[in-house]
Amino acid sequence: MSTFWDKQIDRADYLATNASGAKELLTFYAQLLRAQAEIYDSFRSRKDWLPSGDLESDLAVVQSSMIGLLECVVRHGPQSLALEAQVLLAAEPGVVAQELFDYWRNPTDTKFFAKSVLQPYLHWMAETSTTPVGRELAGGERTCRFCGAKPQVSFLQSKEPSAESGNRDLLCANCLCSWEFRRVVCANCGEERPAKLGYFHSPEFDYVRIEACDTCQHYIKGIDLTRLGHAVPLVDEIYAAPLDLWAREHGYKKIELNLVGV
Ligand SMILES: [Zn+2]
Ligand SMILES: [Zn+2]
């Protein structure tokens, strides 16, 4: 198994066991990550196969990799998702294929199954430098350089040991790679005026902040790795779910919901 997935799984297991909040979400996410890691491994270990970049050509492989994830959601998911997974397990292959194509062309954070399966597919594509084709995405500095999707989470880290404050990166909601981004800019609309940008902390999650914009009313969570170096942005973002509640109550909409729907 790759270190990327191991790292996410270990952190989700740790927080699900030792943290006070978001236990149910993290327990489910830890299982989901295992199912995604299995999908990734199935691509990686497939003999004489590399992704083509075109989902249509790779459809049979991607679709056959999904069964374990659907079964995982039946066993561990919340009731509504578990029922949906059962329906998809029994559905004609064409129905599932359509879900995947729709997401490929026009990703939306409410399509749980397509997003869950295409994350490891796109991550493997990024690692093999296979350019995705047939995605109709806007592009620009606020979307992933590799696959064009929106950011899931923002994080700060020191790239040089002497730096006083960290660099900011955005982590892609689809291929899970990250790209460098300017520090004081809205990741949704590009607003740069500091008076329009707000940062909100709570003492419980002092290394996590809400990065909100009053121009477009959107927000993203930021994980500060200069304060907690062993945090794992994708997982700690879910752990800090109570901050999302706060942001919603204050009228902000998340740029991209995470896989547990928060
Ligand atoms: Zn991406
Ligand atoms: Zn904005």
Side-chain angles (χ1 to χ4, degrees):
M1 193 184 281
S2 93
T3 47
F4 171 83
W5 297 100
D6 279 339
K7 204 174 154 191
Q8 318 298 312
I9 292 168
D10 287 350
R11 183 69 178 156
D13 280 345
Y14 173 81
L15 287 174
T17 314
N18 297 297
S20 51
K23 232 179 207 2
E24 265 178 45
L25 294 179
L26 287 162
T27 305
F28 169 50
Y29 190 50
Q31 296 302 332
L32 187 63
L33 282 165
R34 285 182 167 82
Q36 290 187 299
E38 271 176 38
I39 292 178
Y40 172 86
D41 283 341
S42 78
F43 296 149
R44 219 188 136 95
S45 59
R46 201 175 171 86
K47 258 193 124 181
D48 303 322
W49 184 82
L50 278 177
S52 69
D54 180 3
L55 181 63
E56 207 155 343
S57 318
D58 295 341
L59 185 68
V61 175
V62 175
Q63 215 169 328
S64 67
S65 78
M66 272 184 85
I67 296 164
L69 186 137
L70 291 170
E71 287 170 348
C72 163
V73 175
V74 170
R75 274 198 305 278
H76 302 287
Q79 201 182 13
S80 58
L81 271 186
L83 286 173
E84 258 189 80
Q86 268 168 341
V87 170
L88 286 176
L89 277 166
E92 295 287 327
V95 174
V96 180
Q98 197 54 50
E99 287 265 312
L100 294 171
F101 282 133
D102 287 349
Y103 187 89
W104 184 255
R105 291 188 197 110
N106 186 18
T108 148
D109 53 9
T110 53
K111 295 258 179 209
F112 169 85
F113 290 100
K115 183 174 172 180
S116 303
V117 173
L118 292 175
Q119 277 184 344
Y121 174 60
L122 278 157
H123 192 68
W124 179 226
M125 283 177 50
E127 286 182 349
T128 54
S129 305
T130 313
T131 309
V133 295
R135 305 195 92 195
E136 298 152 12
L137 304 174
E141 64 162 359
R142 297 187 295 279
T143 57
C144 173
R145 309 261 159 86
F146 175 71
C147 80
K150 290 182 191 175
Q152 184 74 69
V153 59
S154 154
F155 61 98
L156 298 174
Q157 63 180 342
S158 298
K159 293 189 176 160
E160 291 149 36
S162 60
E164 267 179 35
S165 56
N167 292 82
R168 185 184 187 202
D169 284 52
L170 298 178
L171 191 139
C172 174
N174 278 188
C175 70
L176 308 177
C177 299
S178 51
W179 70 97
E180 246 179 71
F181 196 63
R182 287 172 293 152
R183 263 185 86 118
V184 189
V185 181
C186 169
N188 185 59
C189 75
E191 178 61 78
E192 294 178 15
R193 288 172 290 174
K196 294 285 181 188
L197 303 169
Y199 302 97
F200 305 97
H201 284 278
S202 94
E204 197 189 343
F205 307 100
D206 62 350
Y207 64 101
V208 185
R209 64 184 190 178
I210 294 284
E211 301 173 353
C213 171
D214 284 329
T215 300
C216 68
Q217 295 289 314
H218 278 72
Y219 78 95
I220 190 166
K221 264 190 263 161
I223 311 293
D224 190 347
L225 299 177
T226 67
R227 294 176 72 118
L228 188 67
H230 61 271
V232 176
L234 209 50
V235 181
D236 286 73
E237 198 274 328
I238 288 175
Y239 168 53
L243 293 180
D244 292 276
L245 204 64
W246 181 92
R248 272 201 299 275
E249 279 170 0
H250 287 76
Y252 297 111
K253 188 175 187 295
K254 202 171 191 181
I255 294 177
E256 170 91 15
L257 295 175
N258 58 37
L259 269 186
V260 297
V262 175

